[in-house]
Amino acid sequence: MNFLDKSGEEYLKEIVKALNEKKLKLDKPLAFLLNPPFKNTDENEKAQIESDSNYKIDQSIIEFAGENQSRERYIAFLSQIVHICNEQVKTNNDFKPILMIFTPTSWLVPRPAYIEFRQRFDKYFKYENGFIITGNQFFEIKG
């Protein structure tokens, strides 16, 4: 399932359908635990076409994230989560979706390119707790 090619409403319907097939109900808020892709569309176009990073992004995501920010796949994923959570909250105002994320920090720091996105995103999720560590704690990488 490509998480970005449909609206949040369409994805929530797919989740409900899959649960119904198993005789389950979506009667609790969704909790997202994810490690979104870090590809962006600013890379070499030929490399995109030959990889899995060349796919359609729903217009609602582009409108929420912003044209430039939606090129960053993890920003597009975060935008889609906001849409799905908003759709679920429409079904029950008591739902308080939870987002737990393993992500690069570039969208968390006040980089000028992400300020507008963070202003929109922060209206939907309240920071509760967390920590930041370098990637080399988990992998043999520089930085």
Side-chain angles (χ1 to χ4, degrees):
M1 181 182 288
N2 175 343
F3 192 64
L4 302 176
D5 65 341
K6 297 178 184 143
S7 70
E9 180 181 13
E10 291 173 274
Y11 275 107
L12 188 60
K13 286 179 183 177
E14 287 191 35
I15 292 168
V16 168
K17 180 182 173 189
L19 289 171
N20 287 341
E21 289 172 1
K22 295 181 181 207
K23 308 241 185 293
L24 299 170
K25 291 184 178 182
L26 185 57
D27 57 357
K28 295 174 181 65
L30 292 170
F32 293 91
L33 173 60
L34 66 135
N35 180 6
F38 306 130
K39 283 260 188 233
N40 67 54
T41 56
D42 293 335
E43 296 172 353
N44 178 299
E45 191 171 329
K46 185 175 186 276
Q48 288 175 34
I49 292 168
E50 296 171 359
S51 74
D52 291 336
S53 66
N54 186 39
Y55 48 81
K56 176 185 173 256
I57 296 180
D58 188 76
Q59 187 61 34
S60 64
I61 294 169
I62 295 169
E63 289 169 5
F64 182 84
E67 186 74 35
N68 290 332
Q69 291 87 340
S70 65
R71 291 185 181 131
E72 300 286 340
R73 291 300 188 241
Y74 56 91
I75 296 293
F77 264 64
L78 294 171
S79 299
Q80 182 69 302
I81 288 169
V82 169
H83 290 302
I84 291 170
C85 290
N86 285 343
E87 289 300 322
Q88 190 187 26
V89 169
K90 285 180 186 177
T91 68
N92 185 331
N93 285 332
D94 293 330
F95 284 166
K96 303 290 182 233
I98 298 169
L99 174 63
M100 297 167 277
I101 188 163
F102 176 79
T103 184
T105 59
S106 60
W107 74 280
L108 296 171
V109 296
R111 272 180 43 194
Y114 297 125
I115 290 173
E116 284 184 48
F117 172 76
R118 280 299 305 278
Q119 289 170 344
R120 288 188 292 273
F121 182 85
D122 289 349
K123 291 178 184 175
Y124 299 96
F125 291 98
K126 177 184 162 202
Y127 175 80
E128 295 287 339
N129 199 349
F131 55 91
I132 296 176
I133 59 173
T134 61
N136 62 8
Q137 301 251 332
F138 294 100
F139 308 104
E140 292 182 33
I141 58 173
K142 296 177 184 174

